[in-house]
Amino acid sequence: MDLKVEGLNVSYDEKSILKNISFNVKSGEIVTIIGPNGSGKSTLIKTISRYLKPRSGDIYFNEVNIRRINTKEIARNLAVLPQVKAVSSDVSIEELVSYGRFPHLKFGKRMGKDDKEVIAWSLEKTGLFHMKDRYVATLSGGERQRAWIAMTLAQKPKMLLLDEPTTFLDICYQMETLEMVKDLNKTLGITVVMVLHDINQAARYSDKMMVMHEGELREYGEPCRIVSKDLLKDIFRIDADIYEDKVNNCPYFIPKKNNNTAGKCQDD
Amino acid sequence: MTNINRKDKIKKGTILIACICFSIVGFFISIMNGAVKISPSEIISAIFFEEATVNYQIIWNVRLPRTITASLVGTSLALSGCILQGVMRNPLASPNIIGVSSGAGLMTLIVLIIFPDYYYLAPLGAFAGALLATLFIYFLAWKEGAATTRLILAGVAVSSLLGAGNNAIMTFYPEKVAGVIGFMVGGLSSTNWKHVDMIFNYAVIGIILLLFVTNKLNILMLGDEVATGLGLNVEATRFFFIIISSLLAGAAVSVVGLLGFVGLIVPHITRLFIGSDYRYLIPATIFTGSAVVVLCDTLARVMFAPLEIPVGIIMSALGAPFFLYLLRRKKEH
């Protein structure tokens, strides 16, 4: 699914959070939004997922303005995995995944055979089928994240929005989650737009990277162009050396020793 | 569907049937007991064969309207609390939090104390007060959407403001307070068919509307962002549920007075038994709410007969300890 964002402005209490953001995401791409804290990355994802209302600007899915599409209709094509989510202590994995069928259900109708097939497929795809009766609340952080991804899969989306899917996970689960996202992108052709904090991971798993800074879209392009000494210094305020990861065919950086410590992460 | 899944469904279905039986038994116990004891067979013959005995008179004119009212009131308040706890995602939410009690209380006091000539407007006033307070709270909490924390804070603030109004009226008119105590505590004495009429439509409409949208409550429980992502219009849905719960609780309060405790505790007790899936929780709450109020009212009539105590007192005295017991027992497992 193509995504087009045009002149997006979002503000909260007169404070402008996103300033005139425009970009395109082509169908089948993985695009990762990076940027320092408070740069507006999460706000951007929340606006595209229609949780926040823009002050001005438009969002198009496959050239159709989302203001013209019913929200349930959107949910049949676009799945969202936000950072903040809740689940009652007695909800099983299968039950959580079944909620992903909600946008496909007609008013007052129960789930049919094909809904159940999609749920089983989502569980299979995320490797959760053998434990589908366990309560989500009892799972480890990584398994829980997989259960949520399975729920979004049950929506049968063409595009997936992920807001920091690896936060609070250990490195093994971070890799597992990102590998799974990549696999879903490759095998099912799901377009992915996500926010990541780890720039090296973003460079490794994305087709394109988007750099946000103080509410503006500063750079947008392929990882080898984005991950540069100047950009890391200008936007992330670190000195770093750039190397090439020949195995994964992507750039990576190693930060140098930070000379001025306290207060360096704040803006001047 | 696997074994465990099916087992879970059977278990929840069984609990639901138990809740239904509980409320039917409660209904009969309520009609049987009182100043005159009536046997179940007499009740059946009175209801279905309409034999004109003394017991027939007692059943039709006294016990039946009172029991039906108690049942509908219990259902309405319990459902109202059950929805609010879900919508606000807060276990302490109850009809009080959306201003139902304070709004209804203030309007009723104004009618009964300041305009006593219009006493017959008191139920209408209570109903209007409940709804107006809810809308006012919603309006105050609105800021590009009504977040649950803002709703709860606005609810607490408005409730205490209206509560101050209540106290002010009672301070200025101390001689008339005795007449409104029954309303403040909540009671079912001298209930008749008129009261059934007052609440019946609201309760039935509320129940039917809710049974169609229980899955929306499940979705809402996942958080606003997830629910939006799943194509639920969170604001509209939340507003719908808050209005429904205000209507249900407002109708109940206008009949029996401030019987707020049911709305807090019955949904919790039901949840402890049947779990948090609203597709089961809502139907179960309909019956547990009814049974609890009906049984507590029976106790209120029988315990110190011929003296009758307000059902609200019984409910708090029995409900709170039982609830705490369940809470502790649940933790140990």
PDB file of all heavy atoms in Angstrom, chain A residues 13 46 50-51 71 75 82 85-86 88 90 94-95 99 102-103 132-133 155, chain B residues 2 4-5 143 218 221-222 224-226 228-232 275-277:
ATOM      1  N   ASP A  13      -1.563  22.201  22.177  1.00  0.00           N
ATOM      2  CA  ASP A  13      -1.589  23.427  22.990  1.00  0.00           C
ATOM      3  C   ASP A  13      -0.770  24.545  22.361  1.00  0.00           C
ATOM      4  O   ASP A  13       0.121  25.108  22.998  1.00  0.00           O
ATOM      5  CB  ASP A  13      -1.024  23.168  24.392  1.00  0.00           C
ATOM      6  CG  ASP A  13      -2.070  22.557  25.293  1.00  0.00           C
ATOM      7  OD1 ASP A  13      -3.238  22.503  24.884  1.00  0.00           O
ATOM      8  OD2 ASP A  13      -1.702  22.148  26.408  1.00  0.00           O
ATOM      9  N   LYS A  46       1.679   8.386  15.220  1.00  0.00           N
ATOM     10  CA  LYS A  46       0.335   8.460  15.803  1.00  0.00           C
ATOM     11  C   LYS A  46      -0.627   9.219  14.890  1.00  0.00           C
ATOM     12  O   LYS A  46      -1.823   8.943  14.872  1.00  0.00           O
ATOM     13  CB  LYS A  46       0.388   9.150  17.169  1.00  0.00           C
ATOM     14  CG  LYS A  46       0.892   8.236  18.272  1.00  0.00           C
ATOM     15  CD  LYS A  46       0.992   8.979  19.577  1.00  0.00           C
ATOM     16  CE  LYS A  46       1.635   8.105  20.625  1.00  0.00           C
ATOM     17  NZ  LYS A  46       2.134   8.872  21.767  1.00  0.00           N
ATOM     18  N   ARG A  50      -3.967   7.791  12.685  1.00  0.00           N
ATOM     19  CA  ARG A  50      -5.181   8.575  12.932  1.00  0.00           C
ATOM     20  C   ARG A  50      -5.581   8.661  14.396  1.00  0.00           C
ATOM     21  O   ARG A  50      -6.721   8.944  14.742  1.00  0.00           O
ATOM     22  CB  ARG A  50      -6.348   8.109  12.048  1.00  0.00           C
ATOM     23  CG  ARG A  50      -6.995   6.744  12.367  1.00  0.00           C
ATOM     24  CD  ARG A  50      -7.467   6.097  11.081  1.00  0.00           C
ATOM     25  NE  ARG A  50      -8.130   4.826  11.316  1.00  0.00           N
ATOM     26  CZ  ARG A  50      -7.487   3.696  11.590  1.00  0.00           C
ATOM     27  NH1 ARG A  50      -6.163   3.687  11.676  1.00  0.00           N
ATOM     28  NH2 ARG A  50      -8.166   2.591  11.779  1.00  0.00           N
ATOM     29  N   TYR A  51      -4.612   8.431  15.309  1.00  0.00           N
ATOM     30  CA  TYR A  51      -4.893   8.620  16.729  1.00  0.00           C
ATOM     31  C   TYR A  51      -4.839  10.104  17.072  1.00  0.00           C
ATOM     32  O   TYR A  51      -5.620  10.593  17.869  1.00  0.00           O
ATOM     33  CB  TYR A  51      -3.886   7.827  17.571  1.00  0.00           C
ATOM     34  CG  TYR A  51      -4.033   8.030  19.052  1.00  0.00           C
ATOM     35  CD1 TYR A  51      -5.165   7.557  19.719  1.00  0.00           C
ATOM     36  CD2 TYR A  51      -3.059   8.696  19.790  1.00  0.00           C
ATOM     37  CE1 TYR A  51      -5.314   7.748  21.078  1.00  0.00           C
ATOM     38  CE2 TYR A  51      -3.201   8.881  21.146  1.00  0.00           C
ATOM     39  CZ  TYR A  51      -4.327   8.414  21.787  1.00  0.00           C
ATOM     40  OH  TYR A  51      -4.474   8.606  23.133  1.00  0.00           O
ATOM     41  N   THR A  71     -13.141   4.651   9.150  1.00  0.00           N
ATOM     42  CA  THR A  71     -12.005   4.214   9.981  1.00  0.00           C
ATOM     43  C   THR A  71     -11.886   2.698  10.040  1.00  0.00           C
ATOM     44  O   THR A  71     -10.801   2.132  10.103  1.00  0.00           O
ATOM     45  CB  THR A  71     -12.099   4.823  11.398  1.00  0.00           C
ATOM     46  OG1 THR A  71     -10.989   4.371  12.154  1.00  0.00           O
ATOM     47  CG2 THR A  71     -13.385   4.441  12.107  1.00  0.00           C
ATOM     48  N   ALA A  75      -8.793   0.246   8.859  1.00  0.00           N
ATOM     49  CA  ALA A  75      -8.219  -0.792   9.716  1.00  0.00           C
ATOM     50  C   ALA A  75      -8.130  -2.144   9.017  1.00  0.00           C
ATOM     51  O   ALA A  75      -7.434  -3.045   9.482  1.00  0.00           O
ATOM     52  CB  ALA A  75      -9.037  -0.923  11.000  1.00  0.00           C
ATOM     53  N   PRO A  82       1.002   0.351  18.622  1.00  0.00           N
ATOM     54  CA  PRO A  82       1.499   1.506  19.375  1.00  0.00           C
ATOM     55  C   PRO A  82       2.402   1.073  20.531  1.00  0.00           C
ATOM     56  O   PRO A  82       2.521  -0.120  20.819  1.00  0.00           O
ATOM     57  CB  PRO A  82       0.227   2.155  19.896  1.00  0.00           C
ATOM     58  CG  PRO A  82      -0.801   1.092  19.905  1.00  0.00           C
ATOM     59  CD  PRO A  82      -0.387   0.038  18.932  1.00  0.00           C
ATOM     60  N   LYS A  85      -0.163   0.008  25.175  1.00  0.00           N
ATOM     61  CA  LYS A  85      -1.270  -0.918  24.946  1.00  0.00           C
ATOM     62  C   LYS A  85      -1.561  -1.639  26.247  1.00  0.00           C
ATOM     63  O   LYS A  85      -0.703  -1.729  27.125  1.00  0.00           O
ATOM     64  CB  LYS A  85      -0.930  -1.899  23.821  1.00  0.00           C
ATOM     65  CG  LYS A  85       0.526  -2.317  23.769  1.00  0.00           C
ATOM     66  CD  LYS A  85       0.892  -2.803  22.391  1.00  0.00           C
ATOM     67  CE  LYS A  85       2.236  -3.480  22.341  1.00  0.00           C
ATOM     68  NZ  LYS A  85       3.365  -2.632  22.706  1.00  0.00           N
ATOM     69  N   ALA A  86      -2.761  -2.115  26.378  1.00  0.00           N
ATOM     70  CA  ALA A  86      -3.166  -2.738  27.632  1.00  0.00           C
ATOM     71  C   ALA A  86      -3.848  -4.054  27.342  1.00  0.00           C
ATOM     72  O   ALA A  86      -4.431  -4.246  26.274  1.00  0.00           O
ATOM     73  CB  ALA A  86      -4.122  -1.808  28.390  1.00  0.00           C
ATOM     74  N   SER A  88      -6.099  -7.186  29.643  1.00  0.00           N
ATOM     75  CA  SER A  88      -6.554  -7.704  30.925  1.00  0.00           C
ATOM     76  C   SER A  88      -5.800  -8.981  31.266  1.00  0.00           C
ATOM     77  O   SER A  88      -5.316  -9.677  30.380  1.00  0.00           O
ATOM     78  CB  SER A  88      -8.052  -8.003  30.891  1.00  0.00           C
ATOM     79  OG  SER A  88      -8.755  -6.871  30.475  1.00  0.00           O
ATOM     80  N   ASP A  90      -6.647 -11.866  32.105  1.00  0.00           N
ATOM     81  CA  ASP A  90      -7.152 -13.184  31.708  1.00  0.00           C
ATOM     82  C   ASP A  90      -7.470 -13.274  30.221  1.00  0.00           C
ATOM     83  O   ASP A  90      -8.387 -13.979  29.819  1.00  0.00           O
ATOM     84  CB  ASP A  90      -8.378 -13.555  32.544  1.00  0.00           C
ATOM     85  CG  ASP A  90      -9.513 -12.579  32.347  1.00  0.00           C
ATOM     86  OD1 ASP A  90      -9.251 -11.466  31.862  1.00  0.00           O
ATOM     87  OD2 ASP A  90     -10.669 -12.923  32.667  1.00  0.00           O
ATOM     88  N   GLU A  94      -4.696 -16.356  21.902  1.00  0.00           N
ATOM     89  CA  GLU A  94      -5.652 -16.546  20.813  1.00  0.00           C
ATOM     90  C   GLU A  94      -6.749 -15.475  20.846  1.00  0.00           C
ATOM     91  O   GLU A  94      -7.163 -14.960  19.812  1.00  0.00           O
ATOM     92  CB  GLU A  94      -6.266 -17.940  20.895  1.00  0.00           C
ATOM     93  CG  GLU A  94      -7.112 -18.257  19.669  1.00  0.00           C
ATOM     94  CD  GLU A  94      -7.660 -19.673  19.696  1.00  0.00           C
ATOM     95  OE1 GLU A  94      -7.859 -20.210  20.805  1.00  0.00           O
ATOM     96  OE2 GLU A  94      -7.880 -20.222  18.618  1.00  0.00           O
ATOM     97  N   GLU A  95      -7.195 -15.144  22.063  1.00  0.00           N
ATOM     98  CA  GLU A  95      -8.230 -14.134  22.200  1.00  0.00           C
ATOM     99  C   GLU A  95      -7.721 -12.780  21.709  1.00  0.00           C
ATOM    100  O   GLU A  95      -8.414 -12.074  20.974  1.00  0.00           O
ATOM    101  CB  GLU A  95      -8.621 -14.026  23.674  1.00  0.00           C
ATOM    102  CG  GLU A  95     -10.094 -14.132  23.943  1.00  0.00           C
ATOM    103  CD  GLU A  95     -10.349 -14.141  25.435  1.00  0.00           C
ATOM    104  OE1 GLU A  95      -9.790 -15.035  26.116  1.00  0.00           O
ATOM    105  OE2 GLU A  95     -11.043 -13.241  25.911  1.00  0.00           O
ATOM    106  N   TYR A  99      -9.005 -10.344  18.350  1.00  0.00           N
ATOM    107  CA  TYR A  99      -9.440  -8.945  18.286  1.00  0.00           C
ATOM    108  C   TYR A  99      -9.002  -8.283  16.983  1.00  0.00           C
ATOM    109  O   TYR A  99      -9.579  -7.286  16.551  1.00  0.00           O
ATOM    110  CB  TYR A  99      -8.879  -8.144  19.480  1.00  0.00           C
ATOM    111  CG  TYR A  99      -9.458  -8.567  20.807  1.00  0.00           C
ATOM    112  CD1 TYR A  99      -8.696  -8.491  21.980  1.00  0.00           C
ATOM    113  CD2 TYR A  99     -10.762  -9.042  20.908  1.00  0.00           C
ATOM    114  CE1 TYR A  99      -9.219  -8.881  23.199  1.00  0.00           C
ATOM    115  CE2 TYR A  99     -11.284  -9.437  22.120  1.00  0.00           C
ATOM    116  CZ  TYR A  99     -10.513  -9.350  23.268  1.00  0.00           C
ATOM    117  OH  TYR A  99     -11.035  -9.742  24.463  1.00  0.00           O
ATOM    118  N   PHE A 102     -11.625  -7.661  14.410  1.00  0.00           N
ATOM    119  CA  PHE A 102     -12.696  -6.695  14.688  1.00  0.00           C
ATOM    120  C   PHE A 102     -13.092  -5.841  13.486  1.00  0.00           C
ATOM    121  O   PHE A 102     -14.281  -5.735  13.166  1.00  0.00           O
ATOM    122  CB  PHE A 102     -12.304  -5.802  15.882  1.00  0.00           C
ATOM    123  CG  PHE A 102     -13.299  -4.740  16.200  1.00  0.00           C
ATOM    124  CD1 PHE A 102     -14.492  -5.044  16.840  1.00  0.00           C
ATOM    125  CD2 PHE A 102     -13.067  -3.415  15.843  1.00  0.00           C
ATOM    126  CE1 PHE A 102     -15.424  -4.068  17.122  1.00  0.00           C
ATOM    127  CE2 PHE A 102     -14.000  -2.433  16.121  1.00  0.00           C
ATOM    128  CZ  PHE A 102     -15.169  -2.760  16.761  1.00  0.00           C
ATOM    129  N   PRO A 103     -12.113  -5.242  12.756  1.00  0.00           N
ATOM    130  CA  PRO A 103     -12.530  -4.399  11.620  1.00  0.00           C
ATOM    131  C   PRO A 103     -13.210  -5.181  10.502  1.00  0.00           C
ATOM    132  O   PRO A 103     -13.864  -4.579   9.657  1.00  0.00           O
ATOM    133  CB  PRO A 103     -11.218  -3.775  11.142  1.00  0.00           C
ATOM    134  CG  PRO A 103     -10.140  -4.564  11.747  1.00  0.00           C
ATOM    135  CD  PRO A 103     -10.665  -5.150  13.016  1.00  0.00           C
ATOM    136  N   LYS A 132      -1.063 -20.919  22.216  1.00  0.00           N
ATOM    137  CA  LYS A 132      -2.119 -19.920  22.015  1.00  0.00           C
ATOM    138  C   LYS A 132      -3.088 -19.783  23.188  1.00  0.00           C
ATOM    139  O   LYS A 132      -3.806 -18.806  23.275  1.00  0.00           O
ATOM    140  CB  LYS A 132      -2.890 -20.218  20.740  1.00  0.00           C
ATOM    141  CG  LYS A 132      -3.685 -21.503  20.748  1.00  0.00           C
ATOM    142  CD  LYS A 132      -4.162 -21.779  19.336  1.00  0.00           C
ATOM    143  CE  LYS A 132      -4.743 -23.147  19.147  1.00  0.00           C
ATOM    144  NZ  LYS A 132      -5.864 -23.472  19.976  1.00  0.00           N
ATOM    145  N   ASP A 133      -3.125 -20.783  24.074  1.00  0.00           N
ATOM    146  CA  ASP A 133      -4.054 -20.686  25.201  1.00  0.00           C
ATOM    147  C   ASP A 133      -3.440 -20.026  26.427  1.00  0.00           C
ATOM    148  O   ASP A 133      -4.100 -19.870  27.441  1.00  0.00           O
ATOM    149  CB  ASP A 133      -4.565 -22.080  25.569  1.00  0.00           C
ATOM    150  CG  ASP A 133      -5.432 -22.647  24.453  1.00  0.00           C
ATOM    151  OD1 ASP A 133      -6.305 -21.911  23.964  1.00  0.00           O
ATOM    152  OD2 ASP A 133      -5.210 -23.800  24.052  1.00  0.00           O
ATOM    153  N   GLN A 155      -5.482  -8.682  11.192  1.00  0.00           N
ATOM    154  CA  GLN A 155      -6.209  -7.649  10.444  1.00  0.00           C
ATOM    155  C   GLN A 155      -5.997  -7.819   8.942  1.00  0.00           C
ATOM    156  O   GLN A 155      -6.660  -7.145   8.160  1.00  0.00           O
ATOM    157  CB  GLN A 155      -5.735  -6.239  10.862  1.00  0.00           C
ATOM    158  CG  GLN A 155      -6.235  -5.793  12.225  1.00  0.00           C
ATOM    159  CD  GLN A 155      -5.646  -4.450  12.618  1.00  0.00           C
ATOM    160  OE1 GLN A 155      -4.766  -4.380  13.468  1.00  0.00           O
ATOM    161  NE2 GLN A 155      -6.124  -3.374  12.013  1.00  0.00           N
TER     162      GLN A 155
ATOM    163  N   THR B   2      -9.589 -25.454  20.124  1.00  0.00           N
ATOM    164  CA  THR B   2      -8.956 -26.548  20.860  1.00  0.00           C
ATOM    165  C   THR B   2      -9.760 -26.910  22.099  1.00  0.00           C
ATOM    166  O   THR B   2     -10.772 -26.297  22.411  1.00  0.00           O
ATOM    167  CB  THR B   2      -7.558 -26.110  21.333  1.00  0.00           C
ATOM    168  OG1 THR B   2      -7.731 -24.936  22.097  1.00  0.00           O
ATOM    169  CG2 THR B   2      -6.657 -25.856  20.170  1.00  0.00           C
ATOM    170  N   ILE B   4      -8.850 -26.648  25.344  1.00  0.00           N
ATOM    171  CA  ILE B   4      -8.825 -25.649  26.416  1.00  0.00           C
ATOM    172  C   ILE B   4      -9.787 -24.514  26.096  1.00  0.00           C
ATOM    173  O   ILE B   4     -10.543 -24.063  26.942  1.00  0.00           O
ATOM    174  CB  ILE B   4      -7.392 -25.111  26.608  1.00  0.00           C
ATOM    175  CG1 ILE B   4      -6.495 -26.256  27.042  1.00  0.00           C
ATOM    176  CG2 ILE B   4      -7.382 -23.995  27.623  1.00  0.00           C
ATOM    177  CD1 ILE B   4      -5.079 -25.886  27.297  1.00  0.00           C
ATOM    178  N   ASN B   5      -9.770 -24.121  24.826  1.00  0.00           N
ATOM    179  CA  ASN B   5     -10.650 -23.037  24.421  1.00  0.00           C
ATOM    180  C   ASN B   5     -12.108 -23.405  24.657  1.00  0.00           C
ATOM    181  O   ASN B   5     -12.884 -22.620  25.191  1.00  0.00           O
ATOM    182  CB  ASN B   5     -10.419 -22.758  22.942  1.00  0.00           C
ATOM    183  CG  ASN B   5     -10.856 -21.366  22.578  1.00  0.00           C
ATOM    184  OD1 ASN B   5     -12.009 -21.028  22.792  1.00  0.00           O
ATOM    185  ND2 ASN B   5      -9.944 -20.570  22.071  1.00  0.00           N
ATOM    186  N   LYS B 143     -10.913  17.856  25.574  1.00  0.00           N
ATOM    187  CA  LYS B 143      -9.826  18.686  25.081  1.00  0.00           C
ATOM    188  C   LYS B 143      -9.185  17.876  23.982  1.00  0.00           C
ATOM    189  O   LYS B 143      -8.370  17.019  24.241  1.00  0.00           O
ATOM    190  CB  LYS B 143      -8.846  18.939  26.217  1.00  0.00           C
ATOM    191  CG  LYS B 143      -7.779  19.937  25.898  1.00  0.00           C
ATOM    192  CD  LYS B 143      -6.946  20.113  27.139  1.00  0.00           C
ATOM    193  CE  LYS B 143      -5.645  20.765  26.846  1.00  0.00           C
ATOM    194  NZ  LYS B 143      -4.742  20.664  27.990  1.00  0.00           N
ATOM    195  N   ASN B 218     -14.527  -4.872  24.790  1.00  0.00           N
ATOM    196  CA  ASN B 218     -13.278  -5.636  24.789  1.00  0.00           C
ATOM    197  C   ASN B 218     -12.190  -4.895  24.032  1.00  0.00           C
ATOM    198  O   ASN B 218     -11.041  -4.848  24.457  1.00  0.00           O
ATOM    199  CB  ASN B 218     -13.499  -7.010  24.135  1.00  0.00           C
ATOM    200  CG  ASN B 218     -14.115  -8.004  25.100  1.00  0.00           C
ATOM    201  OD1 ASN B 218     -14.072  -7.793  26.311  1.00  0.00           O
ATOM    202  ND2 ASN B 218     -14.680  -9.055  24.568  1.00  0.00           N
ATOM    203  N   MET B 221     -10.772  -1.937  25.880  1.00  0.00           N
ATOM    204  CA  MET B 221      -9.876  -2.304  26.982  1.00  0.00           C
ATOM    205  C   MET B 221      -8.416  -2.390  26.540  1.00  0.00           C
ATOM    206  O   MET B 221      -7.519  -2.406  27.369  1.00  0.00           O
ATOM    207  CB  MET B 221     -10.286  -3.663  27.571  1.00  0.00           C
ATOM    208  CG  MET B 221     -11.588  -3.671  28.325  1.00  0.00           C
ATOM    209  SD  MET B 221     -11.576  -2.536  29.700  1.00  0.00           S
ATOM    210  CE  MET B 221     -10.567  -3.436  30.867  1.00  0.00           C
ATOM    211  N   LEU B 222      -8.168  -2.481  25.229  1.00  0.00           N
ATOM    212  CA  LEU B 222      -6.797  -2.630  24.747  1.00  0.00           C
ATOM    213  C   LEU B 222      -6.051  -1.299  24.744  1.00  0.00           C
ATOM    214  O   LEU B 222      -4.862  -1.252  24.444  1.00  0.00           O
ATOM    215  CB  LEU B 222      -6.799  -3.213  23.329  1.00  0.00           C
ATOM    216  CG  LEU B 222      -7.465  -4.581  23.175  1.00  0.00           C
ATOM    217  CD1 LEU B 222      -7.545  -4.965  21.700  1.00  0.00           C
ATOM    218  CD2 LEU B 222      -6.704  -5.648  23.938  1.00  0.00           C
ATOM    219  N   ASP B 224      -6.616   3.215  23.993  1.00  0.00           N
ATOM    220  CA  ASP B 224      -7.170   4.081  22.956  1.00  0.00           C
ATOM    221  C   ASP B 224      -6.454   3.922  21.619  1.00  0.00           C
ATOM    222  O   ASP B 224      -7.070   3.902  20.562  1.00  0.00           O
ATOM    223  CB  ASP B 224      -7.082   5.554  23.388  1.00  0.00           C
ATOM    224  CG  ASP B 224      -8.092   5.872  24.476  1.00  0.00           C
ATOM    225  OD1 ASP B 224      -8.779   4.929  24.927  1.00  0.00           O
ATOM    226  OD2 ASP B 224      -8.188   7.045  24.876  1.00  0.00           O
ATOM    227  N   GLU B 225      -5.124   3.808  21.692  1.00  0.00           N
ATOM    228  CA  GLU B 225      -4.372   3.761  20.439  1.00  0.00           C
ATOM    229  C   GLU B 225      -4.622   2.469  19.692  1.00  0.00           C
ATOM    230  O   GLU B 225      -4.822   2.466  18.470  1.00  0.00           O
ATOM    231  CB  GLU B 225      -2.877   3.914  20.714  1.00  0.00           C
ATOM    232  CG  GLU B 225      -2.445   5.354  20.907  1.00  0.00           C
ATOM    233  CD  GLU B 225      -0.941   5.458  21.030  1.00  0.00           C
ATOM    234  OE1 GLU B 225      -0.254   5.243  20.021  1.00  0.00           O
ATOM    235  OE2 GLU B 225      -0.457   5.735  22.140  1.00  0.00           O
ATOM    236  N   VAL B 226      -4.608   1.344  20.422  1.00  0.00           N
ATOM    237  CA  VAL B 226      -4.861   0.056  19.771  1.00  0.00           C
ATOM    238  C   VAL B 226      -6.279   0.037  19.208  1.00  0.00           C
ATOM    239  O   VAL B 226      -6.515  -0.394  18.077  1.00  0.00           O
ATOM    240  CB  VAL B 226      -4.659  -1.107  20.758  1.00  0.00           C
ATOM    241  CG1 VAL B 226      -4.984  -2.434  20.095  1.00  0.00           C
ATOM    242  CG2 VAL B 226      -3.230  -1.127  21.286  1.00  0.00           C
ATOM    243  N   THR B 228      -8.128   2.515  18.248  1.00  0.00           N
ATOM    244  CA  THR B 228      -8.184   3.339  17.041  1.00  0.00           C
ATOM    245  C   THR B 228      -7.610   2.575  15.856  1.00  0.00           C
ATOM    246  O   THR B 228      -8.179   2.565  14.769  1.00  0.00           O
ATOM    247  CB  THR B 228      -7.387   4.644  17.233  1.00  0.00           C
ATOM    248  OG1 THR B 228      -7.845   5.288  18.411  1.00  0.00           O
ATOM    249  CG2 THR B 228      -7.567   5.579  16.053  1.00  0.00           C
ATOM    250  N   GLY B 229      -6.490   1.903  16.100  1.00  0.00           N
ATOM    251  CA  GLY B 229      -5.850   1.124  15.048  1.00  0.00           C
ATOM    252  C   GLY B 229      -6.742   0.019  14.516  1.00  0.00           C
ATOM    253  O   GLY B 229      -6.652  -0.368  13.368  1.00  0.00           O
ATOM    254  N   LEU B 230      -7.610  -0.503  15.376  1.00  0.00           N
ATOM    255  CA  LEU B 230      -8.515  -1.578  14.967  1.00  0.00           C
ATOM    256  C   LEU B 230      -9.794  -1.030  14.338  1.00  0.00           C
ATOM    257  O   LEU B 230     -10.730  -1.782  14.070  1.00  0.00           O
ATOM    258  CB  LEU B 230      -8.863  -2.463  16.165  1.00  0.00           C
ATOM    259  CG  LEU B 230      -7.742  -3.389  16.642  1.00  0.00           C
ATOM    260  CD1 LEU B 230      -8.097  -4.038  17.970  1.00  0.00           C
ATOM    261  CD2 LEU B 230      -7.455  -4.458  15.608  1.00  0.00           C
ATOM    262  N   GLY B 231      -9.841   0.286  14.141  1.00  0.00           N
ATOM    263  CA  GLY B 231     -10.979   0.863  13.435  1.00  0.00           C
ATOM    264  C   GLY B 231     -12.157   1.181  14.329  1.00  0.00           C
ATOM    265  O   GLY B 231     -13.283   1.304  13.857  1.00  0.00           O
ATOM    266  N   LEU B 232     -11.908   1.322  15.619  1.00  0.00           N
ATOM    267  CA  LEU B 232     -12.994   1.723  16.512  1.00  0.00           C
ATOM    268  C   LEU B 232     -12.929   3.237  16.676  1.00  0.00           C
ATOM    269  O   LEU B 232     -11.859   3.793  16.926  1.00  0.00           O
ATOM    270  CB  LEU B 232     -12.831   1.046  17.879  1.00  0.00           C
ATOM    271  CG  LEU B 232     -13.975   1.257  18.863  1.00  0.00           C
ATOM    272  CD1 LEU B 232     -15.171   0.425  18.449  1.00  0.00           C
ATOM    273  CD2 LEU B 232     -13.564   0.883  20.274  1.00  0.00           C
ATOM    274  N   GLY B 275     -14.446 -13.619  34.763  1.00  0.00           N
ATOM    275  CA  GLY B 275     -13.355 -13.058  33.967  1.00  0.00           C
ATOM    276  C   GLY B 275     -13.742 -11.733  33.328  1.00  0.00           C
ATOM    277  O   GLY B 275     -14.862 -11.256  33.493  1.00  0.00           O
ATOM    278  N   SER B 276     -12.810 -11.170  32.564  1.00  0.00           N
ATOM    279  CA  SER B 276     -13.012  -9.798  32.120  1.00  0.00           C
ATOM    280  C   SER B 276     -13.535  -9.708  30.682  1.00  0.00           C
ATOM    281  O   SER B 276     -13.676  -8.618  30.152  1.00  0.00           O
ATOM    282  CB  SER B 276     -11.704  -9.019  32.232  1.00  0.00           C
ATOM    283  OG  SER B 276     -10.734  -9.635  31.422  1.00  0.00           O
ATOM    284  N   ASP B 277     -13.817 -10.844  30.039  1.00  0.00           N
ATOM    285  CA  ASP B 277     -14.356 -10.805  28.681  1.00  0.00           C
ATOM    286  C   ASP B 277     -15.794 -10.280  28.730  1.00  0.00           C
ATOM    287  O   ASP B 277     -16.689 -10.934  29.275  1.00  0.00           O
ATOM    288  CB  ASP B 277     -14.315 -12.215  28.079  1.00  0.00           C
ATOM    289  CG  ASP B 277     -14.733 -12.218  26.622  1.00  0.00           C
ATOM    290  OD1 ASP B 277     -15.387 -11.256  26.179  1.00  0.00           O
ATOM    291  OD2 ASP B 277     -14.401 -13.180  25.916  1.00  0.00           O
TER     292      ASP B 277
END
